[in-house]
Amino acid sequence: MSLWRNQLHGPTDPAKDAGWEDPPPRKGFFTDTSICIGCKACEVACKEWNQLPMDHLGMTGDSYDNTSALGASTWRHVAFVEQDAERVEQARESGRLLAEEGPAGGPATGPRTPVALGLPSLRPGLHRITEQDVSRAPATGLPLTGPGTHVDIGPEATDLEAAEMAARQAAVDGTLPDFRWLIASDVCKHCTHAGCLDVCPTGALFRTEFGTVVVQADVCNGCGYCVPACPFGVIERRDRPTDANGERLKTAVKNEGVAQKCTLCYDRLEIGAKPACAQACPTTSIQFGDLSEMRQRAEERVEALHTKGFTEARVYGGDELDGVGGTGSVFLLLDEPEVYGLPPDPRVTTADLPDIFRKAGFAAGSMLVGAAIAFLGARS
Amino acid sequence: MTVPYEPPATEPAPTPRREGRRKRRRQRDDVMVPTMEFESYYGRNIVKPAPWKAEIPAYLFLGGLAAGTGLLASGGEMTGRAELQRNARLVSLAALSGSTAVLVKDLGKPSRFLNMMRTVKLTSPMSIGTWILTGFGGFTGIAAATEVAKMVLPRPAKAELAFILPAATRVSSWGAGAFAAPLAAYTAVLLSDTATPTWHEAYRQLPFVFVGSALAASGGAAMITTSVDECGPARNVAVGGAVVDLVADAIMERHLGMLAEPMHEGRAGAYLRAAKVLTVAGAALTLIGGRRRPVAALAGAALLAGSACTRFGIFEAGIASAKDPRYTVEPQKARLAARREQQRQEAS
Ligand code: SF4
Ligand code: SF4
């Protein structure tokens, strides 16, 4: 059983486990939700590149989210949450605790002590972390000077510093709405231990040399087992889409009845290109690269935000000691995962599989013994 | 739609409907009960429910019936109960054909079933189950064929086949017997090896519920089809199976805690209440009047119906648990909190 255990959970290199000899470094996403502006460019780029059919039309009334959820024809989903200050305080507190004590079950990172700031900017750490030099970016839409703002920006100040001061002043004046957005682009986690892949009976789901998880549409038989096996609710069997009136379309769509999800643009990766969503993201909220680097960037960015007092920031996924052996998609969140519709402590179901089989074995054994007794004890 | 800007004093930020919030409000005055508060994403499910329809619970029922009657047939063959052997084999084959038919219907195209045959995967209960079903099907096919041959072939033809018929009967009896118990138990693994909260957490007891349910149903089927004189083992199996089913279910519900809620609500609740009544009634009738044919038949029908209701109920309860984010989030948050507590204790 120890052989089983090593394969079913815990830290590992999934590409090597899958039999790839000398695979390239594992690839992954880092989605930094703190700089997501909700433009949905990732959703559109993904649909375009992967030629995903329309899934449903209509308004949900759930803030700006009319996409609803990841699914067979939605491989990037931008979530929108509108929050007030009370909730921000709670998020700040829970994030601070998380930083002090470390992820439960994982190593503690220790309290983050505020340090003297270097280059002032509204988005600390951006210079180090993203590929764009934001300091020379055009001024944002916030009014920096003029009627209604009492901001005196010195000659040395950057636009971003001025914007931050304007925001602070507005808070003092009471002209700043008691409101913040949470905007996050969700995607398949490309788990180290992927429930979807483990349970697939046909081998349609496989592990690529990049450590990602991909469905082969021509092998999938549509059994749908992967759908309830994913702890994140990502993969889905593609049904015939409905039109705006909820009527099923007359014509079949591509890969109908087959399970579908993000491939981390396997075709683009093979020619050395970035996934379509990362390519399209205008703010570098979606970053792509070697997974180890993605994890490091996430840690650094959270640390930078904490030193600025934004203790609501936290890393989600990527922790080798979590229930799925670490995700291939790492996120920076600004509140508890469930607020974004993510599971707070995901666990791959097959981690328990040896024990599940053992219990079933006892039951099967009891059935045999019981039947034998039933025959031996019968008088007629 | 945009929300016009207003100073915060007159209009607080819009609060979208959320399960967690509603719950908190309802329970606010009851301070003694610690409630797990959380904000969900517009009340939407986190894990996805299995995209399966009635075919799958029907498969669970028919597969269990095929397995149980297969076992009864083998027992009948080994203890010289020819009528029980014949009837149980035929019921088993019928149930097996039915279960394969619903599986294929679930997949949409028969050829798709063959995709399962391209690999053997230990981590996939569905792959394992396919091979168990195939093995059981092969032996049950032979077993049923020998019974049909014995019934329809003229005497001279039977004499000519005399060299093979007894051997075929014996081999298929052992073979089907060996595959029967795994077939009855693996369907529980199939449901439990998912992220569906109620199914997964039930993994310790669910195989016993399913095995008990399979025995009760097959005992019932034998009591309907076979004369009471040969049905002693079937009656034992029926009552024993019903008891195992009910006891394992009670332990399971206690262990599940809040995750047992979906088993008491809505359609799942209705199925499972009916299942209990039918199973108890069937077992009681078997004990009281199982040796009288009409009573035995009635008891058998109740047990069969009870088993079917058990499968549909457990199936629906799992689907309901996947659809409500509470069942995904609350146990996970409790798990996190417990680990955090342990960490604190170790640190101090
Ligand atoms: S997130 Fe779900 S679909 Fe994606 S790899 Fe993990 S288990 Fe599979
Ligand atoms: S639906 Fe397709 S990909 Fe999913 S488990 Fe079944 S065969 Fe595998």
Side-chain angles (χ1 to χ4, degrees), chain A residues 220-223 237-240 255-259, chain B residues 107 112:
Chain A
C220 170
N221 70 0
C223 73
R237 192 160 76 181
R238 184 174 287 163
D239 289 329
R240 184 80 57 88
N255 289 336
E256 205 171 290
V258 164
Chain B
L107 295 179
R112 284 186 168 170

Side-chain angles (χ1 to χ4, degrees), chain A:
Chain A
M1 282 296 170
S2 63
L3 169 80
W4 270 71
R5 280 219 181 109
N6 288 337
Q7 292 176 344
L8 295 178
H9 61 86
T12 185
D13 180 348
K16 283 215 181 88
D17 283 359
W20 291 98
E21 276 170 33
D22 203 16
R26 186 171 172 193
K27 295 283 186 268
F29 284 122
F30 167 40
T31 306
D32 180 354
T33 72
S34 71
I35 51 173
C36 177
I37 54 171
C39 68
K40 303 193 192 182
C42 51
E43 284 189 12
V44 176
C46 178
K47 280 249 180 200
E48 271 300 315
W49 179 262
N50 296 298
Q51 300 185 326
L52 304 181
M54 169 194 95
D55 24 15
H56 58 262
L57 288 175
M59 306 290 272
T60 60
D62 299 333
S63 191
Y64 288 169
D65 182 4
N66 291 316
T67 312
S68 292
L70 291 174
S73 304
T74 304
W75 299 352
R76 269 276 176 192
H77 162 234
V78 183
F80 292 78
V81 180
E82 304 175 20
Q83 287 187 333
D84 56 18
E86 188 196 341
R87 185 65 214 181
V88 176
E89 271 318 309
Q90 289 170 12
R92 219 154 256 187
E93 182 57 20
S94 66
R96 197 184 53 74
L97 265 179
L98 203 63
E100 261 172 30
E101 303 189 318
T109 46
R112 294 192 160 102
T113 40
V115 294
L117 299 175
L119 246 186
S121 74
L122 186 63
R123 302 280 183 208
L126 215 57
H127 293 279
R128 185 163 33 125
I129 286 159
T130 66
E131 291 149 26
Q132 287 171 3
D133 183 0
V134 184
S135 63
R136 261 170 293 155
T140 54
L142 272 176
L144 301 182
T145 51
T149 63
H150 319 287
V151 188
D152 178 24
I153 31 172
E156 303 293 297
T158 62
D159 286 351
L160 286 168
E161 195 179 16
E164 189 174 3
M165 283 171 68
R168 291 238 164 88
Q169 189 62 44
V172 171
D173 294 348
T175 52
L176 191 74
D178 174 22
F179 169 83
R180 79 153 169 176
W181 286 106
L182 293 181
I183 310 173
S185 177
D186 194 10
V187 69
C188 170
K189 314 301 174 292
H190 294 280
C191 311
T192 303
H193 299 287
C196 62
L197 193 158
D198 282 347
V199 304
C200 174
T202 63
L205 275 153
F206 78 109
R207 179 79 59 181
T208 72
E209 64 272 38
F210 303 106
T212 57
V213 180
V214 174
V215 195
Q216 305 168 81
D218 53 339
V219 178
C220 170
N221 70 0
C223 73
Y225 200 14
C226 50
V227 177
C230 170
F232 299 93
V234 170
I235 196 166
E236 190 183 36
R237 192 160 76 181
R238 184 174 287 163
D239 289 329
R240 184 80 57 88
T242 50
D243 64 15
N245 304 321
E247 303 275 326
R248 260 168 60 99
L249 295 189
K250 296 263 166 354
T251 45
V253 292
K254 192 176 74 167
N255 289 336
E256 205 171 290
V258 164
Q260 301 280 283
K261 70 168 193 73
C262 161
T263 67
L264 216 138
C265 281
Y266 191 33
D267 48 354
R268 294 174 63 95
L269 259 54
E270 278 182 321
I271 56 160
K274 270 186 192 177
C277 55
Q279 185 75 45
C281 179
T283 67
T284 67
S285 169
I286 298 176
Q287 301 171 35
F288 165 81
D290 292 354
L291 181 58
S292 53
E293 199 195 330
M294 296 295 110
R295 286 176 176 160
Q296 196 191 338
R297 281 192 204 174
E299 291 291 341
E300 286 173 359
R301 174 81 176 134
V302 165
E303 199 165 326
L305 285 174
H306 275 236
T307 56
K308 287 277 274 179
F310 299 108
T311 58
E312 63 269 42
R314 68 209 60 199
V315 180
Y316 181 78
D319 180 359
E320 290 191 318
L321 299 173
D322 70 15
V324 296
T327 59
S329 305
V330 187
F331 298 82
L332 183 148
L333 303 182
L334 299 174
D335 203 335
E336 304 277 14
E338 62 272 16
V339 175
Y340 297 88
L342 293 164
D345 185 33
R347 208 176 127 79
V348 59
T349 176
T350 31
D352 292 325
L353 191 58
D355 201 29
I356 298 178
F357 268 131
R358 206 172 304 131
K359 297 293 186 295
F362 288 144
S366 318
M367 185 182 185
L368 269 184
V369 173
I373 293 173
F375 274 93
L376 295 177
R379 275 166 292 141
S380 57

